[in-house]
Amino acid sequence: MDICTASSLDKKFILELYQKTFPFRERQEFSLIERRAAMGEMEILLIREERKPIGFAILAYGEKLILLDYFAISEKYRGQGLGSAALELIRALYDDRPFFLELRKPCGDAETDPEETRLLKQCESFFLCNGMYVTGIDIEQGGVCMELLSTQPELCFEECEQVYRSLFGANYRDIVKQVNK
């Protein structure tokens, strides 16, 4: 397995998997992600197994933390340990610099959809089994409820704010709100 910076040739694969994996309400405009990557604020990584694309990771940089903004493995490659191996490679790429991620929480209509709830719990279990910790920090971003998981057991929202500030600018508090304190 290897991970490399995605090229324009990888865009079709990544965009299709991005749209298939993440619900519309969770997705950013992909062109915005590409612009931020071109400016060095984000990075789009291609995950390959035997030189064949199997997934991607999109990361945003802060001074001390990295946000694993999106991570997906193609369905036909799930359940084979490849996602775990990819996460391990990503952590090694950044010299074990701490990172965090936002994981959608069942709320609103998701609470009444057992399949949605099952998938969210499965996703959380994957990250917890791969060295992430529940931080106890819940946020709302664009009307989507999320919990923050981190590679460090202790994380405070203030540490994450620097990443959000670099992503969304001075008005980041209008976009990302901590809902529990």
Side-chain angles (χ1 to χ4, degrees):
M1 170 177 290
D2 69 305
I3 295 178
C4 60
T5 300
S7 73
S8 58
L9 298 174
D10 305 314
K11 181 179 177 176
K12 182 179 185 227
F13 168 80
I14 291 171
L15 190 55
E16 285 177 5
L17 184 56
Y18 178 70
Q19 291 173 339
K20 188 176 186 178
T21 305
F22 298 96
F24 178 78
R25 67 182 184 262
E26 281 186 47
R27 295 192 304 247
Q28 297 177 39
E29 283 292 324
F30 202 77
S31 60
L32 180 59
I33 293 170
E34 291 176 305
R35 280 196 305 273
R36 288 178 173 152
M39 294 175 7
E41 298 170 351
M42 297 183 92
E43 186 168 16
I44 305 169
L45 300 174
L46 181 69
I47 302 165
R48 301 184 303 189
E49 176 69 10
E50 297 177 3
R51 304 194 58 77
K52 188 174 195 171
I54 65 163
F56 70 89
I58 299 173
L59 300 107
Y61 304 115
E63 290 176 20
K64 297 179 182 176
L65 287 174
I66 296 172
L67 169 62
L68 180 60
D69 209 5
Y70 297 96
F71 177 80
I73 300 292
S74 185
E75 276 186 74
K76 69 181 183 178
Y77 295 101
R78 292 180 191 159
Q80 301 173 35
L82 298 172
S84 297
L87 275 178
E88 190 174 313
L89 283 175
I90 292 167
R91 288 178 78 167
L93 273 176
Y94 296 98
D95 298 323
D96 293 322
R97 210 166 129 198
F99 64 89
F100 72 102
L101 60 89
E102 305 155 335
L103 188 63
R104 188 166 30 100
K105 290 181 69 161
C107 63
D109 59 349
E111 290 179 338
T112 61
D113 183 354
E115 179 63 11
E116 176 85 358
T117 301
R118 185 190 69 76
L119 289 171
L120 293 172
K121 289 293 184 191
Q122 183 179 10
C123 190
E124 180 182 56
S125 177
F126 167 79
F127 286 111
L128 294 176
C129 288
N130 282 285
M132 302 294 285
Y133 298 93
V134 173
T135 64
I137 301 168
D138 294 339
I139 64 168
E140 183 182 314
Q141 184 175 354
V144 178
C145 303
M146 297 187 210
E147 67 177 322
L148 300 185
L149 303 182
S150 174
T151 56
Q152 58 187 25
E154 299 292 323
L155 181 76
C156 64
F157 183 68
E158 291 73 24
E159 293 174 291
C160 303
E161 285 184 303
Q162 194 277 320
V163 177
Y164 292 129
R165 188 178 302 108
S166 68
L167 277 177
F168 302 119
N171 296 328
Y172 73 94
R173 287 188 174 114
D174 296 336
I175 299 167
V176 180
K177 297 174 176 67
Q178 184 178 2
V179 293
N180 63 336
K181 294 187 180 192

